[in-house]
Amino acid sequence: MDTNSTDPASAARPTLRERYEQLKDRYKDIIEEYGTVALVTYLSIFALTLGGFVVAIKLGYTPESGAGYAGVVGVAYGATKVVQPLRIGATIVLTPVIAQILRRRSGGAEA
């Protein structure tokens, strides 16, 4: 039984895909506004996430060969892609804060 088609409240809510697209649009706006600061913030979050997943996986599994380590990195990369919406959200939230800190440190110059 499909209750979503008859529920007017659910018709007004955006789908998960629509919310993700809105998040991506907002991320593009942040990149345009903050440029390098936004890109470095995003890549730093990506590297920390990937590294965190590699460490977490290796805590439970010890690869015995190069192929085993490549598998760990591959699974960690997959997990990092799964949390991409969270990483984009973190970039949107953190970039203005980081830009403000950099402006203060540089004496008010544009970051």
Side-chain angles (χ1 to χ4, degrees), residues 37-109:
V37 174
L39 186 60
V40 170
T41 301
Y42 178 79
L43 292 175
S44 297
I45 292 170
F46 174 82
L48 289 169
T49 303
L50 180 63
F53 277 124
V54 167
V55 169
I57 292 167
K58 285 182 70 176
L59 287 175
Y61 169 73
T62 305
E64 297 178 10
S65 67
Y69 186 74
V72 167
V73 172
V75 170
Y77 179 77
T80 301
K81 290 299 284 181
V82 168
V83 298
Q84 183 173 12
L86 298 174
R87 291 187 290 114
I88 291 172
T91 301
I92 290 169
V93 170
L94 292 174
T95 297
V97 174
I98 293 169
Q100 185 177 21
I101 290 168
L102 291 174
R103 283 187 193 115
R104 285 182 185 164
R105 282 190 174 180
S106 66

